[in-house]
Amino acid sequence: MSDHIQGEAHPGVEAAPAQTRGFRLNHCMLRVKDPEVSLRFYSRVFGMSVLRRLDFEEMQFSLYFLGDLEDREVPAEATERTVWTFQQRGLLELTHNWGTENEEGRIYHDGNAEPQGFGHICFNVPDLEAAVAWFDTNEVEFIKRPDQGKMKNVVFVKDPDGYWIEVVQSDLIGDIGS
């Protein structure tokens, strides 16, 4: 008997149709006010690299696709790199609408203020305690530390635009929920 399941059954869940074979989540997009500030945050604090930048001059915006470079060989040629980028899993797309860096204060809804919608992105880290110390060293804004609230060993921090980032160490949260 296998220890692996094919997904959990819940009301509303249907078997994946054959037509969806090969569909995969490629990226999640966040709008950012100032790409320099956000790129510094995600590269320094979370170790992400820009895998591809795409500029759309006519529409006045840029896209930055971020991911980790572990076990990834990124093509050097631009067209190949674009195709490769859209074949990856687990990327973060930062969208910069040109000129927003000149606006005052936070300009985007974080999804957690009323009315709620988008909630957060999540990173798994190998050592939660070390990650918390790293966030403190880098003066990252905490929403929740691992010992606070009802869900222990779960951290929430904010990025420069106020978006929430959940941070977990997977082997510390195996018994949460039911």
Side-chain angles (χ1 to χ4, degrees):
M1 186 164 175
S2 173
D3 287 342
H4 299 286
I5 63 171
Q6 296 297 315
E8 294 185 3
H10 298 281
V13 174
E14 298 181 14
Q19 296 87 338
T20 65
R21 190 169 319 282
F23 287 20
R24 67 175 54 105
L25 180 63
N26 172 250
H27 65 266
C28 176
M29 183 273 272
L30 301 175
R31 288 178 182 84
V32 298
K33 175 181 170 179
D34 186 332
E36 185 176 338
V37 171
S38 293
L39 291 171
R40 183 179 302 112
F41 176 83
Y42 282 103
S43 63
R44 175 164 176 73
V45 177
F46 283 97
M48 299 184 87
S49 298
V50 176
L51 305 178
R52 187 73 175 109
R53 174 184 170 166
L54 299 171
D55 295 317
F56 298 86
E57 190 166 341
E58 182 179 319
M59 295 176 279
Q60 304 273 297
F61 71 91
S62 297
L63 307 177
Y64 300 85
F65 291 91
L66 283 65
D68 65 74
L69 289 177
E70 288 182 37
D71 303 321
R72 298 187 204 231
E73 285 190 39
V74 183
E77 195 276 321
T79 301
E80 289 179 35
R81 192 166 61 252
T82 300
V83 170
W84 175 88
T85 297
F86 283 95
Q87 293 172 339
Q88 301 307 298
R89 292 181 180 178
L91 301 185
L92 179 61
E93 174 191 327
L94 302 181
T95 297
H96 172 237
N97 294 304
W98 299 354
T100 55
E101 65 276 14
N102 300 320
E103 295 183 29
E104 292 295 320
R106 288 188 171 154
I107 62 171
Y108 293 117
H109 191 290
D110 67 9
N112 290 293
E114 294 298 330
Q116 290 182 322
F118 172 82
H120 62 269
I121 61 174
C122 180
F123 284 83
N124 177 47
V125 297
D127 183 334
L128 189 62
E129 187 177 328
V132 168
W134 177 246
F135 299 154
D136 282 333
T137 298
N138 285 278
E139 300 177 353
V140 174
E141 182 180 352
F142 278 84
I143 297 164
K144 180 197 169 308
R145 291 179 176 271
D147 59 345
Q148 295 175 322
K150 292 180 181 176
M151 290 181 62
K152 303 302 181 199
N153 297 315
V154 175
V155 170
F156 280 93
V157 298
K158 285 186 181 183
D159 83 351
D161 290 282
Y163 295 116
W164 291 23
I165 302 169
E166 180 179 8
V167 182
V168 298
Q169 179 180 328
S170 61
D171 62 334
L172 295 180
I173 61 166
D175 61 356
I176 66 170
S178 59

